[in-house]
Amino acid sequence: MRSPLTANRLSTGRIALVVILSIGGLILLLPLVWMVSSSLKPEFDIFVFPPEIIPEPLFWDNYREIFVRAPLARQYFNSIYIGVLNVAGTVAVSAMAGYSLAKLRFPGRFLVLPLLLCALLLPTEVIIVPLYALMSRFGWIGTHLPLIVEPVFGAPAVVGTFLMRQFFLSIPTEIEDAGRVDGLGTLGVFLRVALPLARPALATLALLTFLASWNAFLEPLVFTAGNKELLTLPVALDQYTDVDGTPFYALQMASTTLSILPVLMVFLLAQRQIIEGIARSGLKG
């Protein structure tokens, strides 16, 4: 039985931990608060000192102006539909590849994952020129096809394959054997046994893939060839500038505030499965 002194120490430690984490959380939230606050101010009020966290009155014209100055609605749609297609393709490829590496026996399977992970050592900036040459040969420059196809077979799929492999390794073999006793083949076990159990990992992979697609900057900048109708949000956020290149900070803050909403909504809706997926994917190496 714990002594009162030990209990008091534990209680004090927990209070200190809560205080420290709360302070850290507030520090992390400050940029978001500043962004939302600035998006509701006129341009000349953003850098007033002392800063006004809650503007009075709220200046909503920034949110109207960002749609007037640029085709933001179209660019918003571009980011959403490209992200959804990336999620669908990456999840499908990663789930199949991860299951194969975790559960199937074939020659050289232990070499496949290290070779795939070696591809992550090359940053996008190194391979963007050969990628551009390849997509140009296909005639895909100035379209969204490179942004849809490349991530499905690139770094996001490699990370997804590793994540799914780790999760499938944590599934007991006895569960799969029970499915085979019921007459299921390899494909049936994968579709009807493994995939339903992998929903937390799939949700985690879907969010990570969507986030990577949503925040991608270099590839949309290069492959869309400067066509404003084809731009995605990260590239489009740079379009709110004066003729001499001076940023309109209020407009940029308003467009950035809108850009974080889809990812925030997805995380809030699936946070339980995401946390479970990350936890369970690290059970076995």
Side-chain angles (χ1 to χ4, degrees), residues 34-83:
W34 176 263
M35 176 184 68
V36 176
S37 175
S38 298
S39 72
L40 295 170
K41 298 177 182 178
E43 185 75 21
F44 52 82
D45 283 350
I46 291 181
F47 298 106
V48 170
F49 188 84
E52 189 179 22
I53 300 300
I54 303 177
E56 182 62 40
L58 299 178
F59 191 74
W60 294 101
D61 285 358
N62 291 329
Y63 287 91
R64 178 189 60 81
E65 187 69 16
I66 57 177
F67 290 96
V68 173
R69 285 181 173 267
L72 186 66
R74 174 67 184 179
Q75 295 158 351
Y76 210 95
F77 173 76
N78 291 342
S79 288
I80 291 177
Y81 100 85
I82 290 173

Side-chain angles (χ1 to χ4, degrees), residues 86 135 140-151 219 223:
N86 281 343
M135 299 305 172
W140 289 357
I141 300 299
T143 70
H144 285 149
L145 286 174
L147 307 179
I148 296 171
V149 174
E150 188 271 333
E219 295 90 337
F223 295 137

Side-chain angles (χ1 to χ4, degrees), residues 70-261:
L72 186 66
R74 174 67 184 179
Q75 295 158 351
Y76 210 95
F77 173 76
N78 291 342
S79 288
I80 291 177
Y81 100 85
I82 290 173
V84 170
L85 292 178
N86 281 343
V87 167
T90 302
V91 167
V93 170
S94 299
M96 290 186 289
Y99 184 80
S100 299
L101 293 174
K103 296 297 184 179
L104 302 185
R105 302 291 183 265
F106 56 88
R109 73 185 182 95
F110 293 106
L111 297 176
V112 175
L113 189 63
L115 290 175
L116 287 176
L117 293 177
C118 285
L120 297 179
L121 300 177
L122 297 175
T124 305
E125 292 78 6
V126 172
I127 62 175
I128 193 66
V129 172
L131 272 177
Y132 184 89
L134 179 64
M135 299 305 172
S136 179
R137 179 165 295 186
F138 290 160
W140 289 357
I141 300 299
T143 70
H144 285 149
L145 286 174
L147 307 179
I148 296 171
V149 174
E150 188 271 333
V152 176
F153 301 99
V158 174
V159 175
T161 298
F162 176 76
L163 176 69
M164 296 308 300
R165 173 185 176 272
Q166 297 302 102
F167 190 91
F168 286 130
L169 284 175
S170 70
I171 297 178
T173 305
E174 291 78 6
I175 297 178
E176 296 178 287
D177 292 339
R180 291 189 176 93
V181 169
D182 290 338
L184 296 177
T186 300
L187 182 60
V189 170
F190 171 66
L191 294 176
R192 301 180 63 179
V193 177
L195 276 187
L197 293 174
R199 279 180 293 184
L202 293 173
T204 304
L205 176 57
L207 178 66
L208 295 177
T209 303
F210 186 78
L211 186 61
S213 174
W214 192 262
N215 290 332
F217 181 83
L218 182 60
E219 295 90 337
L221 178 65
V222 171
F223 295 137
T224 56
N227 187 338
K228 284 193 173 184
E229 294 292 331
L230 298 176
L231 294 182
T232 56
L233 279 179
V235 183
L237 294 179
D238 192 43
Q239 62 194 334
Y240 299 106
T241 58
D242 206 346
V243 290
D244 61 351
T246 304
F248 293 118
Y249 293 107
L251 299 183
Q252 289 188 351
M253 293 299 101
S255 56
T256 305
T257 300
L258 289 181
S259 73
I260 70 172
L261 294 180

